[in-house]
Amino acid sequence: MERLVIYDAGHLDCSELYQFGNKHFVVGERSEPLSARTADPTATMVAIFVSSRIDRAVLARMPKLRLIICLSTGTDHVDMPSCIAQGITVCNVPAYGEQTVAEYTMALMLALSRRLTEAAAQVQTGKLDHAQLVGRDLASQTLTIVGTGRIGRHVARLARAFGMTVLGVDPYPNEIAATEIGYEYVGLHDGLARGDIISLHAPGGRDNQHLINRQSLALLKPTALLINTARGDLIDTTALLHALHTRKLGGAALDVVEGEALLAGSVETEVLADGRVKQAILREIAEHDALLKLPNVIMTGHNAYNTVEAQGRIVAGGVENIKAFLAGQPLNTVR
Ligand code: NAD
């Protein structure tokens, strides 16, 4: 009998998954992310959000596991070589939210350019000072999009509608989209040097880890704004903090950040409960703290996907993936 366990249940409205699952197999749930501590050894299938980390220690505790459903596009939280070695199928939902994440990117761009969080904080404390809140129009600014895939291209469309000049950076340029939308491909160095705003939309993982580092940050205009709605590991946080503190960067809006699970407190609790506080974790906590203290930084804890419409599409995609897997024709498999 198949047994599906939904991890981090409550993060998304999974009622469609329960309705389908309860007709065909046993469904269990855990309110926490999947980890070595929360691994259910009876599960044959798991549905996980990006807060879960699948590594060898987790897989060792789940001997019956056959299917991992990622309720996300990104799969860099899953150790793919280990899954492949154990014959476990991994599926994702590749295209649920290009508009959703692109709209959020524009929201972050506007919030940072117009100093929205600072204005709101000033009003709340009754100390409104317009001289400190002077912003920049988006119109006529140059936006550099790093990663012109599904989301990046949609950001380009929205940015063009705002009257921005758009540059694209991608190892696989899509010249047809560039002509249709109206942007120009440039190399990474050129794009970083010319952008008033840099927005990251490339996948994370080993190949792109710290794509934005001390050297690449040095190429940016000192007034440039950096937006990351893609993956936290694209930016070296230590280098970012250095650039912000030395005023080599105008500001940053980070929906994702290295060690973002710590923002929800779950990993912190686990690590401290273990009695093993790792140096790297302490550094990430200190870096988050330092970022949160800066008025020109916005952090939103991986929230760009989070609309009613996108949640519906993610869960429907998860159900389709399970149906296809059980019918012997897996869909959206990650390799
Ligand atoms: P996609 O696969 O359609 O596009 C990614 C693009 O990045 C591709 O065109 C690829 O060629 C390009 N790329 C890869 N390495 C690059 C590099 N070094 N420099 C420049 N470009 C590079 O992916 P997508 O669906 O558009 O998703 C983009 C990102 O957004 C992913 O990291 C995904 O995990 C993330 N995402 C975040 C949220 C959120 O809630 N914050 C939600 C969905 C997706």
Side-chain angles (χ1 to χ4, degrees):
M1 182 65 167
E2 299 288 353
R3 175 169 155 76
L4 168 73
V5 179
I6 303 171
Y7 280 89
D8 230 352
H11 210 105
L12 294 171
D13 175 2
C14 288
S15 30
E16 193 184 336
L17 197 47
Y18 286 103
Q19 274 164 22
F20 169 72
N22 284 328
K23 283 189 206 146
H24 298 91
F25 43 78
V26 180
V27 184
E29 66 169 46
R30 294 288 301 244
S31 59
E32 298 154 288
L34 175 52
S35 66
R37 188 172 59 79
T38 60
D40 182 335
T42 65
T44 58
M45 304 185 282
V46 291
I48 59 165
F49 193 64
V50 290
S51 42
S52 291
R53 285 271 164 274
I54 309 271
D55 54 21
R56 271 190 286 184
V58 170
L59 296 178
R61 287 171 170 75
M62 305 191 82
K64 296 185 173 171
L65 192 61
R66 297 199 302 138
L67 176 66
I68 297 172
I69 296 292
C70 295
L71 297 171
S72 59
T73 303
T75 54
D76 48 311
H77 50 305
V78 178
D79 174 353
M80 283 307 303
S82 298
C83 289
I84 290 166
Q86 298 195 26
I88 296 167
T89 303
V90 180
C91 301
N92 70 342
V93 187
Y96 69 84
E98 62 212 59
Q99 317 88 305
T100 308
V101 179
E103 285 177 16
Y104 198 85
T105 304
M106 297 312 290
L108 290 176
M109 223 180 279
L110 285 164
L112 208 52
S113 302
R114 302 304 301 274
R115 312 183 76 156
L116 216 64
T117 50
E118 291 168 76
Q122 285 196 7
V123 171
Q124 265 172 356
T125 53
K127 290 179 187 157
L128 188 59
D129 178 359
H130 285 113
Q132 283 184 15
L133 298 174
V134 182
R136 304 291 295 259
D137 291 346
L138 288 191
S140 82
Q141 301 273 314
T142 296
L143 170 67
T144 298
I145 296 177
V146 180
T148 57
R150 281 174 287 253
I151 295 170
R153 288 198 300 275
H154 207 74
V155 172
R157 277 189 199 96
L158 298 180
R160 293 290 296 135
F162 272 83
M164 302 180 85
T165 299
V166 179
L167 303 176
V169 176
D170 200 303
Y172 303 98
N174 182 336
E175 295 292 355
I176 295 172
T179 306
E180 181 219 314
I181 297 167
Y183 65 88
E184 179 199 346
Y185 276 105
V186 294
L188 179 63
H189 282 211
D190 202 13
L192 294 179
R194 285 168 63 188
D196 298 303
I197 302 178
I198 315 293
S199 192
L200 306 183
H201 301 285
R206 208 179 318 152
D207 290 347
N208 285 337
Q209 192 184 29
H210 294 181
L211 184 67
I212 303 298
N213 51 38
R214 200 176 264 241
Q215 289 77 28
S216 41
L217 283 164
L219 298 168
L220 300 186
K221 297 178 186 179
T223 50
L225 305 178
L226 180 63
I227 317 278
N228 190 6
T229 57
R231 281 294 179 265
D233 61 355
L234 291 174
I235 301 180
D236 176 345
T237 314
T238 313
L240 173 67
L241 270 167
H242 182 262
L244 287 163
H245 277 289
T246 54
R247 297 183 191 279
K248 300 268 168 50
L249 183 66
L254 310 169
D255 184 48
V256 288
V257 68
E258 289 183 298
E260 69 196 25
L262 293 165
L263 297 171
S266 53
V267 174
E268 189 177 359
T269 315
E270 197 164 303
V271 169
L272 294 176
D274 259 12
R276 286 186 296 124
V277 184
K278 289 188 187 140
Q279 203 61 32
I281 294 203
L282 287 180
R283 199 191 64 232
E284 280 172 345
I285 292 170
E287 286 179 341
H288 293 167
D289 204 38
L291 285 169
L292 286 166
K293 286 197 173 92
L294 294 171
N296 53 347
V297 171
I298 300 173
M299 284 167 75
T300 59
H302 208 138
N303 192 45
Y305 74 94
N306 197 7
T307 65
V308 172
E309 293 81 5
Q311 286 204 15
R313 290 189 290 266
I314 293 171
V315 175
V319 170
E320 287 311 309
N321 285 344
I322 295 178
K323 279 184 190 167
F325 176 79
L326 294 179
Q329 289 174 325
L331 260 183
N332 301 318
T333 50
V334 183
R335 288 170 219 290

